[in-house]
Amino acid sequence: MDDKHDGRVTREGIRLHERGDFAGMHAAGRLAASILDEGAEFVFPGQPTGEIDRIITEKVEAAGAGSATIGYRGYQHASCISVNHVVCHGIPGAGIPMGKDETISRNLEKRRPDDRLLDGDILNIDVTVIVDGWFGDSSRMFVAGKPRPQAERLIQVTHDALMRGIEAVRPGNTFGDIGHAIQTYAEGQRMSVVRDFCGHGLGRVFHAPPNVLHYGRAGHGPRLEEGMFFTIEPMLNLGRPETKVLSDDWTAVTRDKSLSAQFEHSVGVTSDGCDIFTLSPAGRFHPTWG
Ligand code: MF3
Ligand code: CO
Ligand code: CO
């Protein structure tokens, strides 16, 4: 099927999916979520991030699904694993960039000698699967061992910021309303919103219009219409919002090395609100502290 020429598309290039397309997105989203649900068992101090990715790869294959990220622009893994001050696109098994407390020199690209998690590390795991041609994209936060209070707060606020964004999803509202809801909440909690990465349309493709900004002005941006499918995936920092990409051309970190967190859902606009495609079947999307 030619995604460019079939069906309805807004003047901003945003596809309006049919009622029957929601089922495909629910199936793909459910798989991404159930893989993340099992993730908690594989996150603990001493666990290498490469091992977490290996387990995820197996689960995608066992489900008879595809990974959207393997082979995407040369990326070779079924997940992104972003630890501590890594904002997004952390490469599993590639060695964890050293944080503030760990660095003695001023070398911004120092990495730990291996990719094992340490007690108190916080990490985002991002998985995108393809089921019957539909893309399910979700990420959430995990903690190895016991989180520090500030890290726990960052994770809580980032989760709640995403959910506030989702509450703004209904026909008649705009994409600016989503960004505005996220930004005002995050900044009100004295955290910053990353500007350099955004959510995206998806469906039978991984990344499509529009760019879903996690900041913005109420009433601005394209109007939300029934049948739009997209991700909302805010990244919040404890410090400043600026990021930089390391020399591996993937790993994005906070410039000031402050901690960063992210949650991502794939959603679809319904006649009176929205469907969350990547809801956790086990109710584990929000981390519960043990
Ligand atoms: N899943 C990410 C997103 O939310 C994209 C990862 S692309 C990769 O859009 F190549 F880095 F895996
Ligand atoms: Co995404
Ligand atoms: Co993602």
Side-chain angles (χ1 to χ4, degrees):
M1 199 191 253
D2 189 332
D3 211 65
K4 279 194 200 69
H5 301 291
D6 285 327
R8 293 181 306 145
V9 175
T10 69
R11 64 191 154 79
E12 296 95 351
I14 307 169
R15 173 163 299 280
L16 302 175
H17 296 84
E18 304 299 324
R19 203 48 241 174
D21 295 339
F22 280 70
M25 288 301 285
H26 272 291
R30 193 179 311 117
L31 176 63
S34 64
I35 289 172
L36 290 172
D37 278 351
E38 296 172 63
E41 295 161 44
F42 309 107
V43 173
F44 46 81
Q47 174 78 311
T49 57
E51 176 64 11
I52 298 171
D53 182 70
R54 195 190 59 70
I55 295 165
I56 290 171
T57 308
E58 271 181 17
K59 291 184 186 302
V60 175
E61 281 168 8
S67 163
T69 53
I70 297 174
Y72 177 78
R73 299 188 184 195
Y75 195 78
Q76 293 176 2
H77 309 274
S79 64
C80 295
I81 302 185
S82 303
V83 182
N84 294 338
H85 71 296
V86 178
V87 173
C88 62
H89 303 163
I91 303 174
I96 296 166
M98 280 195 189
K100 254 183 195 151
D101 318 333
E102 294 171 272
T103 316
I104 315 135
S105 78
R106 298 174 69 80
N107 179 358
L108 272 170
E109 300 216 5
K110 265 253 165 83
R111 286 177 189 253
R112 294 182 189 166
D114 64 28
D115 62 325
R116 285 173 200 285
L117 295 170
L118 301 177
D119 186 45
D121 279 347
I122 64 168
L123 52 149
N124 174 277
I125 305 181
D126 191 335
V127 175
T128 312
V129 296
I130 313 170
V131 176
D132 292 335
W134 296 100
F135 286 67
D137 187 3
S138 185
S139 79
R140 54 177 101 146
M141 295 302 292
F142 297 86
V143 185
K146 190 176 150 42
R148 293 176 184 82
Q150 274 295 82
E152 189 171 326
R153 208 173 91 76
L154 173 67
I155 291 172
Q156 177 72 49
V157 171
T158 307
H159 171 274
D160 294 352
L162 167 61
M163 298 321 284
R164 283 174 187 244
I166 290 174
E167 279 168 25
V169 178
R170 77 179 76 97
N173 273 3
T174 67
F175 280 94
D177 292 325
I178 300 173
H180 181 75
I182 293 167
Q183 180 182 14
T184 51
Y185 179 69
E187 292 177 354
Q189 300 294 318
R190 307 184 57 79
M191 310 211 172
S192 68
V193 177
V194 169
R195 307 291 204 271
D196 302 336
F197 300 91
C198 56
H200 48 93
L202 84 173
R204 268 187 285 251
V205 292
F206 194 176
H207 292 112
N211 287 333
V212 180
L213 307 182
H214 304 114
Y215 56 93
R217 308 228 306 253
H220 285 237
R223 208 154 280 285
L224 295 164
E225 290 181 54
E226 185 176 359
M228 290 180 172
F229 296 167
F230 53 89
T231 71
I232 309 178
E233 47 183 300
M235 288 140 273
L236 268 56
N237 301 343
L238 277 182
R240 294 198 49 81
E242 291 82 10
T243 71
K244 89 171 214 148
V245 176
L246 300 184
S247 58
D248 61 20
D249 281 342
W250 282 107
T251 311
V253 298
T254 55
R255 279 190 177 262
D256 65 5
K257 289 199 169 195
S258 65
L259 288 182
S260 189
Q262 178 179 28
F263 283 84
E264 175 177 27
H265 267 317
S266 297
V267 304
V269 182
T270 61
S271 60
D272 63 350
C274 89
D275 272 6
I276 304 176
F277 298 128
T278 44
L279 277 180
S280 162
R284 285 190 207 147
F285 185 70
H286 179 277
T288 41
W289 316 101

